[in-house]
Amino acid sequence: MEILTVKNNKIDYLTLKKVVFYTFPTYYILSLVAMFCGALIALFINLYTGDIIGIATFIIILLMVAATPLIQSRMIAKKSINQLNDLHHTDVIFYDLVFDESKLNSIEYSSKNEIPMKYKNIKKILETKDVVIFISKAGYTIYFEKKNTSNEDIERLHAFFDKQNITWKKSIL
């Protein structure tokens, strides 16, 4: 029995760069936060001691640490779009998500593929202001834009996944 179908999702650079940041491993994000905190502490120590060269060095380090995830996420998104362009000869791929009782199906128009994902393989679901992202235990990510569904449909999905004991988190970003 079909629960919901979300039509006309697209994989393109603009939506992919919104999603790629959420696919970073947790240890990577934690190491960036630790490096940022360490550089900030060193900056305050150098401010206290009056070391101008040290202050400039740590300001540059802070800027680099803050910019690294943004730069890498955009590079990964562009690389993925280039791979899709090579594979399907298009920059945009449209697909439908079909939520059944037992699995989630992604049906792509460009290559007529159907990719099933069993609900037990979904690790977490993230909801941002623009997209809802499904991340499997193997790291496979699929998403849909919220503009393709109504709020009632999202609430029905939220209730369905609560029954499946799959965590649905709302992101602050």
Side-chain angles (χ1 to χ4, degrees), residues 4-141:
L4 176 70
T5 299
V6 182
K7 296 205 174 272
N8 296 327
N9 291 299
K10 63 181 175 179
I11 299 174
D12 63 348
Y13 178 69
L14 294 176
T15 53
L16 197 58
K17 74 179 183 180
K18 295 175 192 174
V19 174
V20 168
F21 181 75
Y22 295 103
T23 62
F24 285 148
T26 306
Y27 66 86
Y28 180 77
I29 294 172
L30 289 176
S31 66
L32 283 177
V33 169
M35 287 181 355
F36 184 79
C37 291
L40 194 62
I41 290 169
L43 174 68
F44 287 134
I45 291 171
N46 285 327
L47 278 174
Y48 181 72
T49 60
D51 184 15
I52 300 298
I53 295 173
I55 293 171
T57 303
F58 286 108
I59 287 175
I60 291 170
I61 290 172
L62 284 173
L63 290 174
M64 287 174 41
V65 167
T68 299
L70 298 174
I71 293 169
Q72 284 188 339
S73 67
R74 291 172 194 261
M75 287 173 39
I76 292 170
K78 283 187 181 189
K79 185 176 179 181
S80 298
I81 290 299
N82 287 339
Q83 288 175 346
L84 288 174
N85 193 6
D86 292 342
L87 185 63
H88 300 290
H89 306 294
T90 182
D91 287 340
V92 180
I93 293 179
F94 289 96
Y95 63 96
D96 292 343
L97 288 179
V98 180
F99 294 89
D100 288 334
E101 288 290 332
S102 62
K103 64 184 182 273
L104 167 64
N105 287 318
S106 171
I107 303 167
E108 294 181 9
Y109 302 145
S110 59
S111 59
K112 301 298 181 199
N113 286 337
E114 183 172 336
I115 303 167
M117 180 190 296
K118 295 195 184 277
Y119 293 129
K120 66 181 180 178
N121 294 332
I122 295 177
K123 180 170 70 172
K124 63 182 172 180
I125 303 170
L126 293 171
E127 180 181 354
T128 68
K129 68 177 187 168
D130 297 326
V131 294
V132 176
I133 308 163
F134 300 89
I135 302 173
S136 72
K137 293 177 184 173
Y140 178 71
T141 302

